[in-house]
Amino acid sequence: ALLNSAYVSFIGVDLTGRISFFNKGAEAMLGYKPEEVVGKKSPDIFHVPEEIAAKCAELSEKTGQHISSFGQYFEWITQNGEQVSDTWTYVRKDKGRLPVQMENVRMYDEKGNPIGGLGVAVDISQRMMAFSKLKEAHRQLEILSAQL
């Protein structure tokens, strides 16, 4: 039931970097049907290239290793046991953008051999909108306070 949630995106990736699992939440958030992406695409098509480059540069600096692609970024994260929960911008099929909070984990078979990774994401657009309104209200309050 959790994997079929329409509110949480689950995208599985095999060891070749191709999408191996795409649930209803991913379908709802991204606008693609599973048959369009499973076995055919890499999840980097769902991300902003500049955002990928920035996160790769940040990880390269942190680790001292040259990390230049989306696949290398997630490979390093999952191979090194890092639990990374980070914000990303999903790029929908219609080219619309959606901010998400994403967690990535390595997947193993029953013998402990790596078989790929899993990205789990939730839409945070409403949370970001509420935060933006809160910041604006705070700014307005500061302006009013200064006038008193």
Side-chain angles (χ1 to χ4, degrees):
L2 179 61
L3 289 176
N4 286 320
S5 168
Y7 303 105
V8 179
S9 165
F10 288 91
I11 300 175
V13 180
D14 64 22
L15 292 175
T16 70
R18 295 283 177 216
I19 296 169
S20 59
F21 180 78
F22 196 78
N23 80 329
K24 290 186 185 307
E27 192 175 339
M29 285 184 201
L30 292 161
Y32 289 90
K33 298 282 184 201
E35 56 270 15
E36 294 177 277
V37 296
V38 173
K40 299 175 184 172
K41 302 285 183 185
S42 166
D44 62 341
I45 67 165
F46 309 133
H47 295 276
V48 177
E50 297 81 10
E51 194 172 66
I52 293 171
K55 289 184 187 284
C56 286
E58 184 180 314
L59 187 58
S60 292
E61 186 174 318
K62 175 183 170 185
T63 64
Q65 298 177 21
H66 181 67
I67 297 166
S68 61
S69 72
F70 185 79
Q72 288 175 340
Y73 177 88
F74 284 106
E75 183 70 16
W76 192 94
I77 294 293
T78 58
Q79 273 188 343
N80 289 285
E82 294 266 328
Q83 282 293 128
V84 175
S85 182
D86 204 356
T87 57
W88 286 87
T89 304
Y90 266 172
V91 179
R92 296 174 43 78
K93 184 177 180 179
D94 66 8
K95 303 300 180 211
R97 294 185 176 200
L98 180 70
V100 296
Q101 187 72 33
M102 184 183 296
E103 182 84 28
N104 292 281
V105 295
R106 189 95 159 144
M107 293 189 307
Y108 299 91
D109 66 15
E110 62 280 347
K111 295 179 183 175
N113 300 312
I115 58 170
L118 181 67
V120 181
V122 292
D123 176 352
I124 60 169
S125 56
Q126 295 212 352
R127 183 183 332 159
M128 290 181 73
M129 197 177 328
F131 184 70
S132 178
K133 287 180 183 180
L134 183 61
K135 280 176 52 175
E136 177 59 23
H138 185 262
R139 189 184 74 76
Q140 291 292 329
L141 184 60
E142 285 179 335
I143 291 169
L144 289 173
S145 295
Q147 294 174 353
L148 294 178

